[in-house]
Amino acid sequence: MLQIPFIKENKELIIDRYQKRNLDGAETLDKIIAADGKRIQTQQELDGQLAEANSLAKQIGDLFKSGKAAEANALKERSSELKASSSELKEQLAQTEEELKQLLYLLPNVPNEIVPEGKSDADNKIVSESGAVPNFNFEAAPHWDLAKKHDLIDFELGVKITGAGFPIYKGKGAILQRALINFFLDEAREAGYEEVIPPHLVNEASGYGTGQLPDKEGQMYHVGVDDLYLIPTAEVPVTNIYRDVILKESDFPIKNTAYTPCFRREAGSYGKDVRGLNRLHQFDKVEIVQIQHPDKSYEALDAMVNHVKGLLDKLGLPYRVALLCGGDLGFTSAITYDMEVFSAAQEKWLEVSSISNFETFQANRLKLRFKNKEGKTELAHTLNGSALALPRILAAILENYQTENGINIPEVLIPYTKFKTIGA
């Protein structure tokens, strides 16, 4: 959520940057500035009346002590008027503050100056590419056929138990899945991230804190009886650990990693792009989260990108890094890099990680602050990234490491799987 002083001081800059998102935010910004002016005026009137009421209360008490009951009773009439008027002003102030909050919720984060303009993922900027795309001397099979052939994943059984998008991993498929989780967690711990195991359901305040609410209600599973939400990513509970917290500068950097299942309704998803593991309603992911000093957050972003690149290098998967354009940028993000791996059988790039700097956008919602060297309170910066999301990584391994006889296991995973091949 944007800060009101920032909006007032940088209205034209915000309007200009919103053009990267293909958004005209001028009307909403004007409404926010007007609502804040009304809030200030109402607060000033209320403060004046409360001050007068406090002064009258003292005068009335003094008059009664002096035996001047008639004069005291005359002032009590004015005191009653102030009490009624103050009550109305408090209601007006609460209403204006709620209106202001709802308007602020409508505004996405301001894109960083280097974010390219564009309308969709087709306009994202490829900033680097690494690894060789496999070149088979046989017709490569897609991962869903490989999974069925080697009895690794049962998509139909998942439909029976729950519905489409809830696969069951079996045998070596389950072991490979667990191997990836442990590998990603070990690598994150080695990079200085402290592992946590967070809840898989969050309350409404947590959803608002990281920006899933009110923007993404339709994408989350809602447990209506308890008013809880299944997490779409570990980012939500992990970042909310620091909601309503005031840190010290010496606490930075805060680095957490977590493995969780993730739940996304993905309403409206259909077609070949959702086949197999390409798009699921439940999937596993290892997340990395940083809480950073504002002066260090972009240095941290680069380090997070390099960490994920290192994972893909060790897995031996061809990948590329894309800087998202404004039209493809998430609501809460100031800048995002996507990591995409090449799918040999599908002959397409699959997104496996998004790494984002939210600057103060989430911290303002979370009231996540720190005291600087001068003792003043500032908002921290929050960052997160997938390191990594498993479904498409697993799909790429199955497709890129396939042979005519079976599927090889990336060397870095063999200590975890305890086997080198599948089906050979």
Side-chain angles (χ1 to χ4, degrees), residues 188-202:
R189 290 197 301 269
E190 186 68 25
Y193 291 87
E194 180 182 22
E195 184 176 353
V196 296
I197 301 177
H200 298 164
L201 292 109
V202 294

Side-chain angles (χ1 to χ4, degrees), residues 232-253:
T233 166
E235 167 205 346
V236 181
V238 174
T239 310
N240 270 280
I241 291 171
Y242 306 99
R243 174 157 46 92
D244 297 320
V245 169
I246 298 179
L247 303 167
K248 302 186 296 291
E249 279 205 64
S250 58
D251 292 328
F252 296 122

